[in-house]
């Protein structure tokens, strides 16, 4: 039933009237194109509000390495030893990073240059994450179509384009591994599910390449190498073993493992680390299954096969357990590393690895975070699970497992909401698409005439028949009402996502903004001010000591050597810095002399009310320092278990290096009307030690809003 | 346990009889698989003798053998005429996939040999 409005067009244009299939294709393609553009555009808030710059801390390291790669070529990059960080140890950069992101950005940059578009590499870096987010929507569409149908694929693409859980780590300027890794993750899963569905070696090879890209991009590839074997195990246990599964998993595992070992940072972990052993175990299990299947087919005799089965199973189980026990006991198979073990046992990090526990992104997730990051997807998720269970197939089992495992991990660590976001979007898309499809089918069916049911009803059902005829009009109205409700919910979702992106996830963190008392916007650009001061006013071989948060930014923007940075690979070195910050000035001076420190940098928020400053992080410095050097004891800095900086604070707290450096000359400053001088606006108290004298350091620079303070370490006094 | 031994004999007999009935092309693939696995076992035995340094060379050697064996088994599955799931797959396509995957496997292995 083509649209009659088109009949009024003149004759030549009428030939353009499309058939239904073509109309549908046009709708789908234009919807996908709009979703692609939307996914890119919604991530551009901070570029429009501030400027095109790299955000946060980790992206600065990625930017510095990408710069190095684009200037010096891949061979230099792969063998780079960086002596400007972790002084005096240095860092083997080539072997301790995941190169996927840098190589991708450098390739994009080279491609643009080849097309004669002279773009600076920083612009490419800033916009890499939104570009890959747009690509993720296309993969989500294909994946949705594979699992359910193309309608669900479209809804999945639309949902994932704006879901805040994904936007938080892929905003323009957030040049971090996750921006590319989520694309690689979804691509690998899609290719693998396609391989399982078709049993084709070509798709399995493609999924191995997808896995290789994921391994090169992010340490979270461990999720893939454990989820896929778990999925195969579930299929085996539920009796869905098929030869397509054998072909898909084997090809992906062997080729994927070999490809993954090309990344130096991963190395031989696929055969030696406990986290990767599940994949190997399932590999051998699949061989056993295949062998048994084949023998069963050959024998054609149930009794003989049963005895054969018994023999094989006992052999396999004994050999398997023996290998596992020997491997773990002899230490050849290394146990789960702390980073991933703390996912299985959330209390582990707090007691044993304070560095992991101190990162705010590693804290357990609150319900408000879930609601903030997922909105209506939270209740569409169980609905989608129901639909998946109704239509169980290899593909829906996969998405259910991905959804459940990723939601569990998202509950353990806030950062992993990112990994759960694609699964939640896909499952919710199934729910939304199936519901809307059912509702629209209800609306479109014309009320059936009684002859449809006449053949089946008996006399006692005549009354029911009349009732069915009467309920149809109610069904019609109810369906329209529900459909309107569904559209309302989806529009609220879009509004919420845009608001969240604009308010919460678009701040560069390196440039702070606040509202002045007259409503105008005040920008604090203190960080960059301090780094550029360092760059221009210190000797090129100066060494800067600061807490590890700022290491990457100092090396990237200040171009100076740092003692510790965000890589946090050497806990003792960080603990040394923590001990220096928590000791009295003379002890700290000895430590700084041993590390050749020339300048000390601290971050202080007391004047502006900026709460992520070093005084708030100080207790973590104490804990980490105290973890390695027992001379630093946390109770020394607390009063009755309470952390204070005013007159009632402990004497060790009032005289430690960090306190002195942060509050030097602060006692003379009036920060707020009606409050005494030296009023700390973050802690909300007047500081206890106002008359600070520094003996071994002198103040070198304090930024205009007192946020970053730099001190020069004085050389030892000449003996008389 | 006479029943067990007679069971085992019967098992082996029926297995050999049924295996003799498989088509020749499948038997060739099986021979290839057995050769590859034997080579892998020989490499592991050699490693047991001389130690595993350099580990990447050992791994690449063993994995290339295991990899090509596994790929050959996948080829056997796809080419087997009794397999209902792969009825629509032309054997030329299956063989082409096999060659492609082997090519990738050996290229990566050459990079990893060191």
């Amino acid at each position: 039933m083509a649209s009659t409005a088109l009949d009024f067009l003149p004759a030549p244009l009428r030939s353009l009237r499309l058939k239904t299939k073509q109309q549908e294709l046009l709708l789908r393609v234009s919807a996908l194109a709009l979703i692609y553009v939307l996914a890119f555009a919604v991530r551009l808030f901070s570029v429009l509000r501030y400027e095109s710059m790299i955000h946060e801390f980790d992206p600065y390291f990625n930017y510095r390495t990408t710069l190095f790669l684009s200037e010096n070529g891949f061979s230099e990059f792969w063998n780079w030893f960086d002596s400007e960080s972790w002084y005096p140890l240095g860092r083997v950069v080539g072997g301790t990073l995941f190169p996927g992101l840098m190589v991708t950005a450098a390739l994009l940059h080279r491609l643009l240059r080849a097309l004669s578009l002279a773009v600076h590499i920083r612009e490419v870096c800033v916009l890499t994450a939104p570009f890959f987010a747009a690509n993720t929507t296309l993969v989500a569409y294909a994946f949705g179509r594979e699992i359910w149908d193309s309608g669900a694929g479209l809804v999945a693409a639309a949902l994932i384009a704006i879901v805040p859980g994904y936007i938080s780590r892929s905003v323009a300027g957030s040049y971090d591994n996750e921006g590319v890794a989520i694309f690689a993750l979804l691509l690998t899963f899609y290719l693998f599910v396609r391989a399982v569905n078709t049993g084709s070696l070509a798709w399995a090879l493609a999924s191995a390449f997808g896995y290789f890209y994921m391994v090169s991009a992010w340490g979270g590839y461990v999720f893939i190498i454990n989820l896929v074997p778990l999925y195969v195990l579930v299929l085996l246990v539920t009796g869905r073993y098929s030869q397509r599964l054998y072909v898909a998993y084997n090809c992906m595992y062997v080729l994927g493992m070999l490809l993954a070992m090309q990344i130096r940072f991963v190395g031989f972990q696929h055969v030696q680390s406990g986290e990767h052993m599940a994949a190997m175990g399932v590999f051998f299990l699949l061989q056993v299954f295949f062998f048994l299947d084949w023998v069963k087919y050959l024998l054609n005799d149930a009794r003989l096969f049963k005895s054969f089965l018994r023999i094989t199973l006992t052999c396999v189980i004994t050999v398997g357990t023996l290998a596992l026990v020997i491997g773990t006991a002899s230490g050849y198979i290394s146990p789960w590393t702390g980073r991933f073990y703390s996912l299985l046992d959330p209390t582990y990090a707090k007691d044993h690895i304070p560095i992991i526990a101190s990162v705010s992104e590693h804290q357990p997730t609150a319900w408000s975070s879930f609601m903030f990051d997922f909105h209506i997807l939270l209740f569409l998720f169980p609905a989608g699970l129901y639909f998946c269970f109704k239509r169980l197939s290899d593909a829906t089992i996969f998405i259910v497992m991905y959804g459940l495992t990723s939601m569990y991990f998202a509950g353990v660590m806030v950062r992993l909401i990112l990994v759960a976001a694609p699964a939640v979007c896909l499952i919710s898309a199934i729910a939304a698409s199936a519901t809307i499809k059912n509702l629209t089918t209800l609306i479109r069916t014309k009320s059936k005439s009684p002859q449809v049911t006449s053949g089946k009803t008996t006399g006692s059902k005549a009354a029911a028949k009349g009732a069915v005829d009467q309920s149809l009009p109610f069904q019609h109205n109810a369906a329209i009402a529900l459909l309107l409700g569904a559209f309302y919910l989806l529009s609220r979702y879009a509004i919420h996502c845009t608001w969240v992106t604009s308010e919460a996830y678009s701040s560069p963190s390196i440039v702070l903004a606040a509202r002045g008392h007259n409503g105008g916007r005040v920008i604090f650009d203190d960080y960059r001010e301090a780094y550029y001061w360092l760059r221009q006013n210190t000797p090129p071989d100066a060494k800067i000591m600061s807490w590890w948060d700022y290491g990457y930014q100092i090396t990237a923007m200040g171009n100076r050597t740092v003692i510790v940075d965000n890589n946090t690979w050497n806990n003792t070195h960080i603990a040394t810095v923590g001990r220096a910050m928590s000791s009295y000035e003379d002890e700290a001076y000895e430590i700084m002399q041993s590390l050749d420190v020339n300048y000390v940098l601290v971050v202080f928020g007391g004047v502006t009310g900026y709460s992520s400053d070093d005084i708030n992080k100080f207790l973590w410095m104490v804990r980490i320092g105290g973890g390695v050097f027992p001379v630093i004891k946390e109770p020394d800095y607390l009063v009755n278990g309470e952390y204070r900086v005013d007159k009632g604070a402990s004497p060790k707290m009032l005289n430690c290096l960090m306190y002195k450096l942060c509050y030097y000359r602060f006692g003379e400053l009036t920060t707020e009307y009606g409050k005494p001088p030296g009023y700390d606006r973050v802690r909300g108290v007047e500081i206890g030690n106002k008359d600070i004298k520094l003996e071994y350091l002198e103040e070198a620079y304090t930024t205009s809003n007192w946020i970053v303070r730099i001190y020069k370490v004085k050389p030892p006094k000449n003996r008389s | 346990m006479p029943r067990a031994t007679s069971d085992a004999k019967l098992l082996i007999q029926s297995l050999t009889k049924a295996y003799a009935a498989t088509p020749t092309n499948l038997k060739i693939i099986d021979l290839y698989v057995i050769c590859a696995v034997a080579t892998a076992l020989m490499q592991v035995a050699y490693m047991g003798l001389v130690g595993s340094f350099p580990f990447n060379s050992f791994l690449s050697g063993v994995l290339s053998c295991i990899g090509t064996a596994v790929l050959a088994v996948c080829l056997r599955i796809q080419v087997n005429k009794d397999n209902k799931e792969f009825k629509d797959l032309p054997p030329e396509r299956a063989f082409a996939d096999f060659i492609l995957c082997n090519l990738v496997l050996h290229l990566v292995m050459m990079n990893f040999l060191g």
Side-chain angles (χ1 to χ4, degrees):
Chain A
M1 308 307 148
S3 160
T4 49
L6 290 173
D7 286 339
F8 293 108
L9 289 174
L13 278 180
R14 225 180 284 167
S15 58
L16 285 177
R17 196 167 63 192
L18 300 166
K19 294 195 274 287
T20 323
K21 258 207 152 16
Q22 290 173 320
Q23 280 178 342
E24 196 232 339
L25 181 66
L26 179 67
L27 272 177
R28 252 194 297 144
V29 167
S30 43
L32 267 181
L34 285 174
I35 291 175
Y36 191 91
V37 173
L38 172 69
F40 189 86
V42 80
R43 288 164 164 84
L44 295 179
F45 275 105
S46 69
V47 172
L48 295 170
R49 283 182 186 159
Y50 301 95
E51 60 181 89
S52 161
M53 68 176 141
I54 313 267
H55 298 356
E56 301 258 324
F57 300 112
D58 278 1
Y60 273 98
F61 173 71
N62 298 331
Y63 174 59
R64 185 166 157 249
T65 47
T66 315
L67 204 56
F68 187 87
L69 170 62
S70 67
E71 283 169 4
N72 302 3
F74 186 72
S75 176
E76 283 290 326
F77 168 76
W78 202 231
N79 297 306
W80 185 20
F81 179 82
D82 182 28
S83 43
E84 272 192 31
S85 56
W86 295 91
Y87 184 85
L89 306 165
R91 177 183 171 183
V92 181
V93 178
T96 56
L97 57 52
F98 286 104
L101 177 70
M102 297 85 184
V103 170
T104 311
L107 278 177
L108 279 173
H109 179 233
R110 199 180 276 192
L111 175 69
L112 286 173
R113 292 287 285 266
L115 293 172
S116 318
L117 298 164
V119 202
H120 190 266
I121 184 120
R122 194 191 60 237
E123 317 300 334
V124 176
C125 291
V126 164
L127 294 175
T128 299
F131 175 58
F132 273 91
N135 295 341
T136 309
T137 60
L138 293 181
V139 178
Y141 165 70
F143 204 0
R145 202 180 47 179
E146 188 69 27
I147 300 177
W148 201 256
D149 62 21
S150 63
L154 273 182
V155 180
L159 289 178
I160 207 172
I162 51 177
V163 66
Y166 183 25
I167 288 189
S168 62
R169 307 288 300 202
S170 66
V171 134
S174 171
Y175 182 55
D176 211 351
N177 299 45
E178 288 94 343
V180 174
I182 297 295
F183 168 73
L185 181 88
L186 208 55
L187 186 69
T188 312
F189 284 152
Y190 163 61
L191 292 171
F192 181 67
V193 169
R194 189 124 175 93
V196 171
N197 271 342
T198 56
S200 147
L201 263 181
W203 284 107
L205 177 67
S207 76
F209 274 114
Y211 178 62
F212 171 56
Y213 189 41
M214 178 70 187
V215 170
S216 74
W218 196 31
Y221 75 90
V222 175
F223 181 62
I224 298 189
I225 201 68
N226 280 307
L227 179 64
V228 168
L230 193 63
Y231 165 66
V232 172
L233 202 60
V234 165
L235 282 187
L236 292 178
V237 161
T238 54
R240 283 173 175 270
Y241 168 75
S242 68
Q243 298 192 315
R244 294 172 286 119
L245 178 69
Y246 179 87
V247 169
Y249 181 70
N250 274 311
C251 178
M252 184 203 175
Y253 178 62
V254 174
L255 284 173
M257 175 165 73
L258 201 51
L259 281 168
M261 292 202 275
Q262 308 308 306
I263 309 288
R264 277 165 63 192
F265 196 24
V266 172
F268 303 128
Q269 279 183 8
H270 276 73
V271 291
Q272 286 179 337
S273 153
E275 297 150 8
H276 302 73
M277 284 300 119
M280 195 182 277
V282 169
F283 175 67
F284 286 120
L285 189 64
L286 256 187
Q287 310 304 320
V288 171
F289 258 81
F290 175 74
F291 183 59
L292 288 175
D293 205 38
W294 180 54
V295 167
K296 182 158 151 193
Y297 162 76
L298 272 186
L299 275 183
N300 256 336
D301 180 348
R303 192 186 57 86
L304 275 180
F305 178 66
K306 270 234 271 287
S307 54
F308 178 76
L309 185 67
R310 246 183 309 121
I311 305 170
T312 330
L313 275 182
T314 35
C315 283
V316 163
I317 292 180
T318 14
V319 168
T321 34
L322 256 178
L324 196 64
V325 164
I326 293 180
T328 336
S330 71
Y332 186 74
I333 299 180
S334 60
W336 282 57
T337 55
R339 247 180 84 197
F340 297 111
Y341 189 73
S342 61
L343 285 178
L344 297 177
D345 176 12
T347 57
Y348 179 76
K350 191 101 206 280
D351 300 329
H352 294 103
I353 320 173
I355 280 198
I356 295 182
S358 72
V359 182
S360 67
E361 297 173 315
H362 292 181
Q363 306 308 317
T365 326
W367 271 111
S368 53
S369 295
F370 272 118
M371 192 61 192
F372 198 64
D373 279 340
F374 287 139
H375 204 237
I376 62 166
L377 303 185
L378 264 190
F379 61 80
L380 283 181
F381 181 70
L385 284 180
Y386 162 73
F387 278 107
C388 286
F389 275 111
K390 249 179 57 172
R391 202 212 279 188
L392 270 184
S393 69
D394 289 348
T396 46
I397 291 184
F398 180 81
I399 198 67
V400 163
M401 289 196 58
Y402 175 26
L404 292 176
T405 47
S406 60
M407 277 306 257
Y408 167 72
F409 289 125
V412 172
M413 221 187 241
V414 176
R415 187 179 180 182
L416 296 178
I417 283 191
L418 172 72
V419 176
V424 169
C425 284
L426 277 163
I427 297 184
S428 315
I430 292 178
S433 170
T435 315
I436 294 185
K437 200 176 228 180
N438 289 341
L439 289 174
T440 44
T441 327
L442 273 179
I443 293 185
R444 279 154 131 212
T445 49
K446 317 244 188 283
S447 46
K448 295 266 188 279
S449 44
Q451 67 236 37
V452 174
T453 50
S454 61
K456 302 183 191 150
T457 51
T458 62
S460 59
K461 285 207 178 136
K465 187 173 54 164
V468 165
D469 275 354
Q470 270 180 345
S471 71
L472 273 177
F474 288 134
Q475 257 183 358
H476 196 83
N477 290 338
I480 293 186
L482 284 176
L483 210 53
L484 284 175
F487 289 147
Y488 172 71
L489 278 179
L490 287 173
S491 64
R492 292 302 310 180
Y493 170 71
I495 294 174
H496 169 87
C497 295
T498 324
W499 175 83
V500 161
T501 314
S502 163
E503 289 300 315
Y505 289 141
S506 295
S507 82
S509 304
I510 190 166
V511 168
L512 312 163
R515 296 248 166 245
H517 41 260
N518 57 352
R521 206 166 64 144
V522 180
I523 304 263
F524 300 124
D525 209 358
D526 288 45
Y527 280 104
R528 295 196 292 177
E529 190 187 332
Y531 300 140
Y532 276 98
W533 184 90
L534 275 179
R535 195 190 188 107
Q536 289 166 343
N537 294 294
T538 57
D541 61 349
K543 317 217 189 350
I544 319 286
M545 179 171 94
S546 70
W547 194 232
W548 57 263
D549 291 19
Y550 317 108
Y552 280 155
Q553 287 181 339
I554 296 178
T555 22
M557 280 190 274
N559 203 22
R560 293 288 176 266
T561 312
V562 289
I563 307 290
V564 288
D565 67 18
N566 308 57
N567 191 27
T568 66
W569 66 272
N570 190 334
N571 194 34
T572 314
H573 218 52
I574 297 184
T576 313
V577 171
R579 178 183 174 189
M581 296 293 196
S582 349
S583 314
Y584 293 121
E585 199 183 341
D586 37 10
E587 299 163 0
Y589 185 64
E590 274 175 34
I591 300 176
M592 289 194 286
Q593 286 292 85
S594 74
L595 289 173
D596 282 352
V597 176
N598 302 113
Y599 290 87
V600 182
L601 185 146
V602 292
V603 169
F604 172 58
V607 174
T608 49
Y610 173 58
S611 55
S612 310
D613 65 350
D614 279 356
I615 295 284
N616 273 355
K617 294 180 192 166
F618 182 62
L619 272 185
W620 282 110
M621 300 187 201
V622 169
R623 283 180 198 135
I624 294 174
V628 178
F629 302 104
V631 69
I632 306 283
K633 296 189 251 305
E634 193 182 337
D636 287 348
Y637 300 86
L638 306 169
V639 175
N640 292 333
E642 209 187 312
Y643 180 57
R644 299 169 67 166
V645 295
D646 54 2
K647 271 206 249 312
S650 66
K652 183 112 198 219
M653 179 72 203
L654 288 177
N655 288 301
C656 69
L657 184 71
M658 175 58 71
Y659 189 95
K660 281 180 152 182
L661 293 182
C662 282
Y663 291 122
Y664 182 65
R665 288 194 306 117
F666 184 62
E668 309 149 16
L669 194 69
T670 312
T671 50
E672 217 170 281
Y673 179 71
K675 295 280 195 298
Y679 179 74
D680 184 343
R681 288 176 79 179
V682 177
R683 267 59 60 178
V685 292
E686 188 187 342
I687 61 170
N689 187 358
K690 290 193 195 175
D691 193 21
I692 296 177
K693 299 256 184 305
L694 288 175
E695 195 186 333
Y696 296 100
L697 296 108
E698 60 184 4
E699 187 179 1
Y701 188 67
T702 299
T703 55
S704 43
N705 295 298
W706 287 56
I707 292 187
V708 183
R709 312 195 66 182
I710 305 177
Y711 293 85
K712 185 171 154 73
V713 177
K714 290 200 257 200
K717 295 199 214 350
N718 287 328
R719 295 174 203 277
S720 56
Chain B
M1 308 179 237
R3 176 135 183 259
T5 46
S6 72
D7 245 356
K9 256 197 245 156
L10 200 57
L11 200 68
I12 296 175
Q13 268 177 350
S14 50
L15 272 177
T16 36
K17 198 164 53 158
Y19 187 67
T22 55
T24 328
N25 57 346
L26 295 183
K27 277 200 201 151
I28 296 177
I29 299 181
D30 289 342
L31 197 59
Y32 179 72
V33 173
I34 293 175
C35 281
V37 175
T39 317
L41 288 174
M42 280 197 288
Q43 289 185 11
V44 174
Y46 180 68
M47 179 211 62
L49 280 176
V50 302
S52 70
F53 182 80
F55 195 55
N56 53 320
S57 315
F58 165 66
L59 262 186
S60 65
V62 171
L63 277 179
S64 79
C65 291
I66 304 271
T68 190
V70 155
L71 287 172
V73 173
C74 294
L75 174 69
R76 186 191 202 275
I77 291 174
Q78 290 183 334
V79 157
N80 195 352
K81 288 193 201 38
D82 296 328
N83 231 331
K84 289 182 290 303
E85 272 172 352
F86 291 99
K87 215 168 10 118
D88 310 323
L89 190 71
E92 291 82 11
R93 166 76 196 271
F95 190 64
D97 281 345
F98 171 72
I99 296 291
L100 178 66
C101 290
N102 263 314
L103 193 66
V104 171
L105 176 77
H106 287 96
L107 276 174
V108 181
M109 185 212 78
M110 293 298 284
N111 183 39
F112 199 41
L113 261 180

